[in-house]
Amino acid sequence: MTSLTDTASDLARAQRKARRAHALNRIASALTTVGLGWLSPLLRLAAGENPRQQGIELWRQMGIPLTAILLFLAAWGWAAPQVQTSLGAIPGPAQVWEQATNLYADHKAERAKEAAFYERQSKRNAEILAKDPKAEVKTRPYAGKPTYIDQIFTSLKTVFTGFLLGALVAVPLGVASGLSPTVNAAINPLIQIFKPVSPLAWLPLVTMVVSATVSGSDPLFEKSFLTSAITVTLCSLWPTLINTAVGVSSIDRDLMNVGKVLQLSGFTMVRRLVLPSALPYIFTGLRLSLGVGWMVLIAAEMLAQNPGLGKFVWDEFQNGSSNSLAKIMVAVFTIGLIGFLLDRVMLALQSAVSHSPAR
């Protein structure tokens, strides 16, 4: 009887351990997808798994990258004062961090001014209506300068608009190109011609077209926004188009033959067979397109002086103050971090909608 009880207890313990290991593996996979894989060893340590093994994994995933970052900061801090420019020495990590906090403080101060502006306007309108309920009151928009944080969100809105427009064009064309050799032969020369074109070449053309087609004192979208977004679209759609076409053309012919045997309609075959099979290629193209679009946007904003991070960098370069270099470096790190986060977002989205052996 005791032996049966011990066996049942061991079995239950083994089952709990297996369930815990499965849950930890799923959590680890999710954390790795969003760039937080270094948390997995900590979770496993907390769950009581092999401390030595998890310590080695924690050092590999967290210790080595942190050491590399600290060495980079030390080298930067040592080398920066050695390089003299017309605006002074290259700023070190401390000066860059100081300007980052100053930019955030400026943003908070500007938002406080905006809140006070609307509060005064609301109070004034209330007094007017109290004297004359039929009086017309107007709420004027706040006309303060955009802050650094505002320009970050402007750039994000622009790049996502251009990226989505590009995806809406590239994915259907890529599917058609992958399914039909005729379509592929027709659009392949255009891809090879337009894919290498720089955003600096597209920008003047897009600017003239937008200026000629968008008119009126209060258009639905600002010309600067449309110019930047369309430029991003024209430069970023090619990786998605090419990868989608490659993915669709690589689908197992037997799978397509099954669809024909089942007499599936063209739309159903694309939705049920083609897109799920080509999804990894499509998302690879989308990730590349988003990265290209983000780089193109910064260049377009700098050249066309459209609102966003690119304009901020150019304005600071032209400003020539003692803090300009540090602010430019803040923008450089911001652009890099946002690019990394955008890639993580696309990778997480791919993991959420696709299937892999780990899921």
Side-chain angles (χ1 to χ4, degrees), residues 325-346:
L325 283 177
K327 290 181 178 179
I328 290 173
M329 295 196 73
V330 171
V332 167
F333 282 107
T334 301
I335 292 166
L337 287 172
I338 290 176
F340 168 76
L341 292 175
L342 291 177
D343 184 72
R344 292 294 97 184
V345 168
M346 290 302 301

Side-chain angles (χ1 to χ4, degrees), residues 241-291:
L241 198 162
I242 294 169
N243 278 272
T244 301
V246 171
V248 171
S249 63
S250 302
I251 295 174
D252 191 347
R253 293 296 98 185
D254 291 339
L255 188 63
M256 301 299 291
N257 291 334
V258 169
K260 293 176 182 178
V261 169
L262 295 175
Q263 297 183 345
L264 299 179
S265 66
F267 177 77
T268 303
M269 188 175 293
V270 168
R271 185 168 62 90
R272 295 288 189 180
L273 300 180
V274 173
L275 289 179
S277 300
L279 211 54
Y281 286 89
I282 294 173
F283 268 97
T284 299
L286 290 172
R287 289 173 63 191
L288 291 172
S289 289
L290 190 54

